[in-house]
Amino acid sequence: MNPDMESFLNLEATPGRLTIEQAAWLLGFGPHEIPILMAKGLLKPLGHPAHNGQKFFLAATLEDLRRDEKWFSKASDAVVEYWRYKNDRKGQCPPDNRRPSHQGADAPQLADDRK
């Protein structure tokens, strides 16, 4: 366990406003999964932060979400769905059309190969 995460989770009183990384620690998700939850509307940052600005979350709201089994189910499904879609798109790339590095016995003879 990350020492920063361990010390944060062992605090007696969490700060009122948490960063994305701290929210991820508190909820048990990875920091890279928080933007996925935000995009699905399952997490809302405080205020109206800029698209590329730092996002903060209310600790009390996150504590409520920690106790909500239905929310965790939706959040987990959203993350799985995101990665399933992302991985499916990788499989749809056009096949590699490079020539094989060697010609086996089954390789067709080209007209240029005649002597």
Side-chain angles (χ1 to χ4, degrees):
M1 183 180 281
N2 179 342
D4 292 335
M5 178 170 50
E6 186 175 1
S7 63
F8 174 77
L9 293 175
N10 286 329
L11 290 174
E12 288 184 31
T14 57
R17 190 174 79 151
L18 304 177
T19 64
I20 285 180
E21 188 173 35
Q22 293 167 336
W25 293 341
L26 191 65
L27 293 173
F29 287 95
H32 61 279
E33 295 171 328
I34 298 298
I36 297 168
L37 299 176
M38 289 170 42
K40 291 288 186 173
L42 295 168
L43 268 182
K44 297 200 184 246
L46 291 172
H48 302 286
H51 175 70
N52 60 349
Q54 186 169 11
K55 315 292 191 278
F56 292 99
F57 302 90
L58 187 64
T61 303
L62 298 178
E63 286 291 340
D64 291 342
L65 293 176
R66 283 182 75 172
R67 294 189 272 294
D68 188 351
E69 184 178 350
K70 288 181 181 179
W71 181 85
F72 262 105
S73 179
K74 287 179 186 177
S76 296
D77 288 346
V79 170
V80 168
E81 179 185 326
Y82 172 83
W83 287 113
R84 184 177 295 136
Y85 174 75
K86 190 93 165 168
N87 289 331
D88 283 349
R89 289 189 65 212
K90 284 183 185 176
Q92 293 177 358
C93 292
D96 192 4
N97 290 329
R98 288 181 287 170
R99 288 182 91 184
S101 59
H102 62 81
Q103 289 187 344
D106 300 0
Q109 287 289 353
L110 300 175
D112 298 356
D113 291 342
R114 286 182 272 149
K115 291 184 181 178

